[in-house]
Amino acid sequence: MKFKNKTFPLHATESCLYKLTKYRNIYFDLDNTLWDFETNARDTFREIFDIHHLWNTITDFERFISTFALYNEQSWEKYRLGQIRKEELRIERFCLTLHRLKIPDHNLSGLISDNYLELMPQKSNLVENTLKVLEYLKPRYRLFILTNGFHDIQSAKLENSGIRHYFNGIITSEDTRWSKPDPRTFEYALKSVNAKKAESLMVGDNLILDISGARNFGMDQVFFNRKMISHDMNITYEINELKELMLIL
Ligand SMILES: [Mg+2]
């Protein structure tokens, strides 16, 4: 774990309910920070492969997963830039994935997209120690979700994985009209719940969307570096496991 500010007070013990932090509001990214997107996506696609008997058509499941991850990210980037609409994003990522795998079946893309939107939010795998950390933080701070997803989908993920009640609010890019890393997203997220910038902290796994976005807005950040990537960005805190949050907060 790395701390930019070495003199930050970390002397409180576990028996002390309130540590001496300046924070009152903790904003969490959802996908791959608390909700295990990668595991849940794999489970969803296994189910979809069963439904449409795709195991003989798409024999390399891992290639399907990595191809989808690529186009999903690309399509989201186009959506963030306003180049495509929500409905186009939802179908395009599957069209491009199947096309790359030499299965240009537009009808199948639509069916997979419908299945994905229905099944994915029902999955409930959480990142390790999510419940333990939320249970610890809940009496101490106001907790919020700040996510680039769609409101109905992200809310369903929180409900179905049993963590909705930990949060004082869910703010999605659909609510803000902007997406992370746009500083206006963070500004909206704070203003809408009367939170002060100096008392707020962003926790996320994405160096650009969560960390760079919060930093450019002037808000402290915790980079959840799950994959231990190397970087040279100046970050307030960096952790490799979620439970390390309990040492900071
Ligand atoms: Mg994320």
Side-chain angles (χ1 to χ4, degrees):
M1 181 163 53
K2 296 177 193 168
F3 299 110
K4 184 176 78 176
N5 183 354
K6 299 271 195 308
T7 60
F8 199 85
L10 287 170
H11 53 269
T13 63
E14 284 294 319
S15 60
C16 174
L17 184 63
Y18 293 100
K19 284 186 182 171
L20 294 174
T21 82
K22 62 178 180 176
Y23 305 112
R24 296 187 62 199
N25 316 291
I26 315 298
Y27 289 81
F28 280 96
D29 166 57
L30 183 59
D31 291 339
N32 280 331
T33 294
L34 301 177
W35 194 80
D36 192 340
F37 182 94
E38 287 177 14
T39 303
N40 289 323
R42 269 195 161 67
D43 287 355
T44 301
F45 285 126
R46 276 193 204 98
E47 216 172 319
I48 291 173
F49 269 47
D50 285 342
I51 293 169
H52 298 289
H53 310 290
L54 294 175
W55 294 104
N56 290 328
T57 317
I58 305 169
T59 49
D60 192 341
F61 184 69
E62 287 307 314
R63 183 158 176 244
F64 175 86
I65 294 285
S66 59
T67 308
F68 171 73
L70 177 78
Y71 288 121
N72 188 39
E73 200 168 309
Q74 256 181 37
S75 296
W76 266 105
E77 180 64 13
K78 283 160 82 176
Y79 175 78
R80 278 194 286 274
L81 296 171
Q83 294 170 358
I84 54 172
R85 291 174 295 119
K86 179 179 176 178
E87 296 71 25
E88 292 168 304
L89 157 75
R90 286 178 164 179
I91 190 95
E92 182 191 87
R93 51 194 174 173
F94 292 107
C95 269
L96 293 170
T97 300
L98 291 183
H99 188 78
R100 170 59 74 90
L101 299 174
K102 300 196 171 19
I103 308 163
D105 184 337
H106 191 76
N107 188 41
L108 183 60
S109 302
L111 294 172
I112 292 179
S113 175
D114 290 346
N115 293 145
Y116 180 82
L117 292 173
E118 187 200 338
L119 299 172
M120 181 76 161
Q122 294 175 24
K123 300 291 177 255
S124 58
N125 291 292
L126 296 169
V127 169
E128 193 179 10
N129 289 313
T130 291
L131 292 177
K132 188 177 179 183
V133 169
L134 292 177
E135 199 65 41
Y136 169 84
L137 294 177
K138 177 65 181 163
R140 294 163 168 85
Y141 302 92
R142 291 204 299 168
L143 307 180
F144 300 96
I145 290 288
L146 179 55
T147 170
N148 272 358
F150 299 116
H151 200 99
D152 55 344
I153 300 285
Q154 301 305 76
S155 296
K157 288 176 182 174
L158 287 162
E159 291 288 350
N160 293 327
S161 58
I163 58 171
R164 173 65 186 90
H165 65 283
Y166 289 108
F167 296 96
N168 298 71
I170 308 167
I171 301 137
T172 72
S173 49
E174 252 186 336
D175 308 318
T176 62
R177 292 184 292 129
W178 301 287
S179 302
K180 296 177 289 184
D182 191 321
R184 289 173 294 187
T185 316
F186 298 89
E187 190 176 3
Y188 179 103
L190 266 63
K191 267 190 183 164
S192 64
V193 297
N194 258 331
K196 290 183 184 146
K197 198 188 282 192
E199 296 176 347
S200 302
L201 184 67
M202 179 71 213
V203 183
D205 73 299
N206 190 296
L207 204 49
I208 303 300
L209 304 181
D210 303 316
I211 305 310
S212 182
R215 187 164 170 254
N216 290 339
F217 172 62
M219 181 178 169
D220 283 359
Q221 336 86 43
V222 179
F223 177 36
F224 181 16
N225 191 357
R226 286 180 79 191
K227 296 187 175 170
M228 300 196 185
I229 61 164
S230 59
H231 65 87
D232 56 7
M233 203 182 283
N234 191 10
I235 297 167
T236 321
Y237 304 100
E238 182 169 330
I239 58 175
N240 302 124
E241 289 184 75
L242 207 55
K243 66 181 180 189
E244 290 175 75
L245 272 182
M246 296 189 289
L247 298 174
I248 299 171
L249 297 167

